[in-house]
Amino acid sequence: MSKKSAVPDAWDDDWESQADKADAAASAAKADEEVKISKAERLAKHAETNRKLWESAEEPETFHFLAARDNVPLKSEFKPALKVLSRKPAPKVVQRVDPVTGLAKMTLEDEDDEGEQQKDQPSPEELRLKAQREREEKQRRYDEARARILGSTTSKSIQQ
């Protein structure tokens, strides 16, 4: 068997020397590229690469696939109307005496609602009359229900 017809063997190759040669060639090329440059030239080169970097970041990336096609998927032309939100100013807190209980309580003062609150609030006498009417109505309904359930004779005997 001749050496040329034999299957190449990785262990036979001198890979360490080949790697050293490739490394030496790369370092020699790098040494040729590094020429002594002044500080001003280095700063100018840095500023130029920085400017290019910012330009590429600020301009939108063009998707060539989508640019080739005119109909872009999920493209929305709709822009909702702008809604301006606002708040009412902070309410003023006022201490008032409640006419029913006679106790002072903290309330919010609203200019718009002030007259309406006084109209809606009944006097103490009206409150007592309303409560008495409600009690009488409840008692009447209770008596009717009791007469229906237990019979009318028991309800008459209790009332007398």
Side-chain angles (χ1 to χ4, degrees):
M1 287 189 16
S2 70
K3 186 128 179 131
K4 292 182 181 178
S5 66
V7 177
D9 189 6
W11 292 106
D12 291 340
D13 294 337
D14 190 15
W15 57 272
E16 290 177 343
S17 63
Q18 290 176 3
D20 289 340
K21 287 179 190 174
D23 190 30
S27 64
K30 191 175 185 181
D32 291 340
E33 284 181 13
E34 276 191 38
V35 178
K36 295 284 184 181
I37 55 175
S38 67
K39 185 176 182 181
E41 290 175 341
R42 191 179 49 207
L43 287 175
K45 184 177 178 184
H46 175 70
E48 179 66 23
T49 55
N50 203 11
R51 185 187 59 78
K52 287 180 182 178
L53 179 69
W54 276 103
E55 283 178 1
S56 67
E58 288 177 350
E59 65 186 34
E61 183 180 349
T62 57
F63 296 105
H64 299 291
F65 170 73
L66 295 177
R69 296 174 57 199
D70 192 26
N71 55 346
V72 179
L74 304 175
K75 185 176 180 181
S76 176
E77 299 293 330
F78 173 73
K79 290 187 179 179
L82 187 65
K83 186 184 292 187
V84 179
L85 302 176
S86 64
R87 293 184 178 176
K88 290 177 71 175
K92 298 176 186 175
V93 179
V94 178
Q95 183 176 3
R96 294 187 181 164
V97 177
D98 188 20
V100 177
T101 60
L103 300 174
K105 61 180 181 178
M106 302 295 282
T107 59
L108 299 177
E109 181 182 54
D110 289 335
E111 295 82 24
D112 302 337
D113 301 337
E114 197 169 308
E116 294 174 14
Q117 288 177 354
Q118 291 178 359
K119 291 177 186 176
D120 294 342
Q121 196 173 35
S123 67
E125 188 62 33
E126 291 173 348
L127 288 173
R128 275 189 235 111
L129 289 172
K130 183 179 177 184
Q132 184 179 0
R133 279 193 306 260
E134 287 176 357
R135 263 184 265 129
E136 289 173 356
E137 179 65 25
K138 283 182 183 179
Q139 184 64 38
R140 185 186 59 78
R141 282 187 282 158
Y142 172 77
D143 289 339
E144 289 175 0
R146 184 179 174 118
R148 230 182 8 250
I149 296 170
L150 300 176
S152 60
T153 58
T154 57
S155 64
K156 289 180 182 176
S157 64
I158 292 175
Q159 289 177 352
Q160 292 176 355

